[in-house]
Amino acid sequence: MSLRFVIVAGPPSSGKTSAMLHTIAHLKKSGMPVAACKIDCLETADDRRYRQLGIPVAIGLSEYLCPDHFYAVNLEEVWSWARQQNAEVLILETAGLCHRCAPAVEGCLTICVIDNLVGLETPKKIGPMLSTADIIAITKGDMVSQAEKEVFRDAVETVNPGARVIHVNGLSGQGSLALKRAILATRPLEKITGQALRYSMPAATCSYCAGETIVGGSFQMGNIKKIDFGESESCCKK
Amino acid sequence: MLQKITVMGGVDKNGHPEPIRRLDIHPGEVLAVVGPTGAGKTQLIADIEQYREGEAPTGRQVLIDGHPYAHDPLNPGPRHLVAEVSQKMNFIIDTTVEAFLARHARVRAIASPETVINTVLTVANQLAGEPLSPTDNLTRLSGGQARALMVGDVALISNAPVVLVDEIENAGIDRLSAMAILSAHGKMVLVVTHDPTLMLMAGRRVIMKNGGMHQLHRTTPAEIAIMETLAAREKDISRLRDTLRSGQQITDNVPNKETQETWQAFYCTARSTSAGRSAR
């Protein structure tokens, strides 16, 4: 009962689904049974795009919960679902929104999708989602100069020197063969239970977690952290 | 040092084997990729760019010095083999020309960046109609200036052994000089083009049809002669453009009208030399 567990994360509109649709098409041509699961916050239309490939598709919406925590507590269930579909490759796509978390799990192939248009400082800002990935797929390279492609790739590799960088074009599918090969080269995982997250999740246990909406110290309970304004405080008192 | 890139023929859009079964490209060569829109020109370039290994849809295989590219995820093969210049590309980084080129030179570990940056700027200024300064903001460059800078940068900083050029004829730069600059230093240049001068400037041209490599022609001496005539004519046109743009008027020395016979002669020569001949 083994499964190649592939985690795909990246900023909104970076081209995660487009890149994966081409990759799944290649996997299907190789006769590999694939299932896809999308974890999002409030709503998603990506399931329709995945369904067009004729593969089993599941969606998880975190709604009132932190999407990253929601993701972590559902990994076992997603695993079981994919096994029930007789999939040998599972593509788990997650919206990385707050850039504090990383969905990467030991033993799973983690792909971070980022596009060339976001600016040179962004790889640093994306944080652990990028720095803990096995593969970094850079999209939209057809829109920028060769020079920017090279400089951007360098900025990405500075944040995650160990990752393999693949340039992917979500429109033409260019680069998706390399993604397919990387997925097929991944050793299938025997079980997800007991595998470790590569980066710890942030604590989220305060009154706002429980549904509080009013601003103000007297409405706050639990794990509260305040900004340290340092020396700038004195100038404000004047 | 890269000796050769080989494209092993695959299939056309109907799944039939493409007529050209093998295409070898050597350093210092300019190969034109020609054919009507939708014939598969850009796909051929894309196949080379990602070192295809016989997968769908084209089934082509790309060999580097006779060997398949190592698709081993742990050992991903040569990195900076291919550089691209296309008409769709833009600069999006909000910084000065100088600062950006310096950063690119650093990424490419160039020993004396100042010298290279100056050369890139000289080249770009030679290609662009309007001068470009090191302190200009990248994102504010005109289309022609941006393309000129991309060409200079690909030729001198990226310095990859294989250069793929996609339709730069409308880019507002001196494209013949651009091709000369790109193909210098023993690079392999593949140029997708609809422009007869660029087609004939290449030593060979592959003709695409219905997704497949259909014919391969070596440029004949007669075609080279035509190319030289065309290039001379373009120089006249560009001189005229500069004259008119600079506010001058033309009052005398009007050249004779083109005699039709000259062109008919060209077409006849072209037909007789290329008929049925396809070079390997």
Side-chain angles (χ1 to χ4, degrees):
Chain A
M1 292 295 276
S2 62
L3 184 66
R4 288 177 182 82
F5 202 102
V6 183
I7 298 160
V8 184
S13 302
S14 56
K16 298 183 287 296
T17 309
S18 297
M20 293 325 292
L21 289 176
H22 288 288
T23 309
I24 294 171
H26 286 306
L27 285 165
K28 280 185 68 191
K29 268 184 216 146
S30 313
M32 189 54 75
V34 186
C37 178
K38 168 90 190 205
I39 292 199
D40 219 320
C41 300
L42 295 174
E43 56 182 286
T44 181
D46 290 335
D47 56 315
R48 258 178 279 152
R49 300 180 65 198
Y50 279 120
R51 263 183 241 283
Q52 281 170 356
L53 291 169
I55 58 167
V57 179
I59 329 171
L61 293 179
S62 63
E63 292 168 331
Y64 60 91
L65 281 170
C66 158
D68 297 301
H69 286 244
F70 175 75
Y71 161 88
V73 301
N74 278 291
L75 284 170
E76 256 182 332
E77 284 72 12
V78 171
W79 170 281
S80 309
W81 169 80
R83 286 305 314 158
Q84 279 161 22
Q85 310 301 318
N86 294 314
E88 288 179 39
V89 174
L90 168 74
I91 306 291
L92 176 55
E93 184 190 322
T94 169
L97 293 175
C98 74
H99 298 172
R100 160 60 181 79
C101 291
V105 178
E106 295 299 343
C108 302
L109 181 76
T110 307
I111 303 172
C112 176
V113 182
I114 178 171
D115 73 63
N116 260 306
L117 306 178
V118 290
L120 288 179
E121 297 305 315
T122 307
K124 244 181 274 166
K125 294 181 201 158
I126 287 183
M129 182 163 69
L130 189 106
S131 63
T132 62
D134 300 302
I135 291 181
I136 296 159
I138 305 182
T139 56
K140 306 184 191 176
D142 56 328
M143 300 175 72
V144 300
S145 62
Q146 177 74 28
E148 279 164 307
K149 252 190 283 186
E150 291 175 13
V151 169
F152 187 77
R153 179 186 177 137
D154 181 70
V156 163
E157 287 177 331
T158 307
V159 177
N160 186 343
R164 182 174 169 214
V165 173
I166 300 176
H167 287 279
V168 180
N169 182 330
L171 299 178
S172 70
Q174 206 165 332
S176 54
L177 274 171
L179 283 178
K180 178 200 87 168
R181 290 194 194 102
I183 290 171
L184 290 181
T186 304
R187 200 200 311 204
L189 197 60
E190 293 304 320
K191 58 184 175 78
I192 190 112
T193 311
Q195 296 292 335
L197 291 169
R198 294 189 205 169
Y199 199 84
S200 63
M201 300 256 162
T205 46
C206 70
S207 45
Y208 296 101
C209 298
E212 181 60 77
T213 59
I214 309 297
V215 176
S218 55
F219 301 93
Q220 295 164 0
M221 285 162 56
N223 207 340
I224 308 291
K225 186 172 187 282
K226 296 289 187 183
I227 302 175
D228 175 6
F229 292 97
E231 290 171 6
S232 63
E233 225 175 330
S234 55
C235 75
C236 302
K237 279 178 185 165
K238 203 162 59 169
Chain B
M1 178 74 190
L2 183 68
Q3 298 297 323
K4 181 172 73 171
I5 290 219
T6 308
V7 182
M8 302 299 287
V11 293
D12 67 13
K13 283 181 184 168
N14 299 335
H16 301 133
E18 52 189 337
I20 305 295
R21 303 308 304 159
R22 182 189 176 108
L23 171 63
D24 288 310
I25 310 157
H26 295 96
E29 182 179 6
V30 179
L31 177 79
V33 183
V34 309
T37 304
K41 301 186 293 296
T42 301
Q43 181 63 53
L44 177 64
I45 295 276
D47 283 353
I48 294 171
E49 202 250 321
Q50 53 185 327
Y51 322 112
R52 283 269 180 189
E53 256 191 2
E55 303 94 335
T58 60
R60 290 187 188 117
Q61 194 184 11
V62 175
L63 306 176
I64 293 159
D65 288 339
H67 303 289
Y69 176 82
H71 280 297
D72 178 0
L74 298 174
N75 178 25
R79 256 187 76 155
H80 293 303
L81 206 57
V82 177
E84 274 185 288
V85 185
S86 98
Q87 207 174 265
K88 278 179 284 177
M89 291 174 174
N90 287 299
F91 285 114
I92 52 138
I93 294 173
D94 186 14
T95 184
T96 63
V97 169
E98 198 174 29
F100 177 70
L101 291 178
R103 181 145 186 190
H104 190 203
R106 200 160 61 236
V107 167
R108 278 304 187 107
I110 284 176
S112 52
E114 294 82 16
T115 323
V116 174
I117 291 169
N118 282 332
T119 320
V120 170
L121 283 166
T122 311
V123 164
N125 274 322
Q126 184 193 331
L127 298 177
E130 49 207 315
L132 143 168
S133 122
T135 52
D136 285 345
N137 189 296
L138 266 189
T139 54
R140 302 230 173 123
L141 298 181
S142 73
Q145 287 175 322
R147 226 63 58 196
L149 189 62
M150 281 178 207
V151 168
D153 176 279
V154 161
L156 296 154
I157 299 183
S158 289
N159 203 11
V162 183
V163 179
L164 307 175
V165 183
D166 200 347
E167 296 187 28
I168 55 161
E169 48 254 41
N170 301 322
I173 57 171
D174 179 349
R175 66 216 197 298
L176 297 184
S177 305
M179 291 305 298
I181 288 161
L182 286 173
S183 58
H185 314 300
K187 290 189 173 70
M188 305 178 190
V189 181
L190 276 86
V191 54
V192 171
T193 185
H194 294 290
D195 176 338
T197 318
L198 281 185
M199 288 180 203
L200 298 180
M201 199 189 178
R204 291 186 300 166
R205 59 184 182 273
V206 58
I207 289 92
M208 304 301 296
K209 190 176 166 186
N210 194 32
M213 297 186 285
H214 198 67
Q215 286 173 301
L216 185 60
H217 290 313
R218 196 171 286 283
T219 310
T220 64
E223 288 169 343
I224 293 171
I226 294 178
M227 188 270 287
E228 283 163 0
T229 313
L230 286 174
R233 194 164 303 202
E234 281 175 26
K235 270 211 187 95
D236 288 344
I237 291 175
S238 95
R239 216 171 305 140
L240 179 62
R241 185 187 299 123
D242 290 345
T243 308
L244 297 176
R245 279 206 294 207
S246 66
Q248 296 177 55
Q249 282 183 298
I250 294 161
T251 49
D252 55 358
N253 281 338
V254 179
N256 290 329
K257 260 193 198 165
E258 210 65 68
T259 50
Q260 266 193 327
E261 295 81 61
T262 329
W263 285 100
Q264 272 167 1
F266 278 151
Y267 291 132
C268 291
T269 337
R271 219 176 295 130
S272 63
T273 51
S274 71
R277 189 197 294 195
S278 72
R280 249 206 66 168

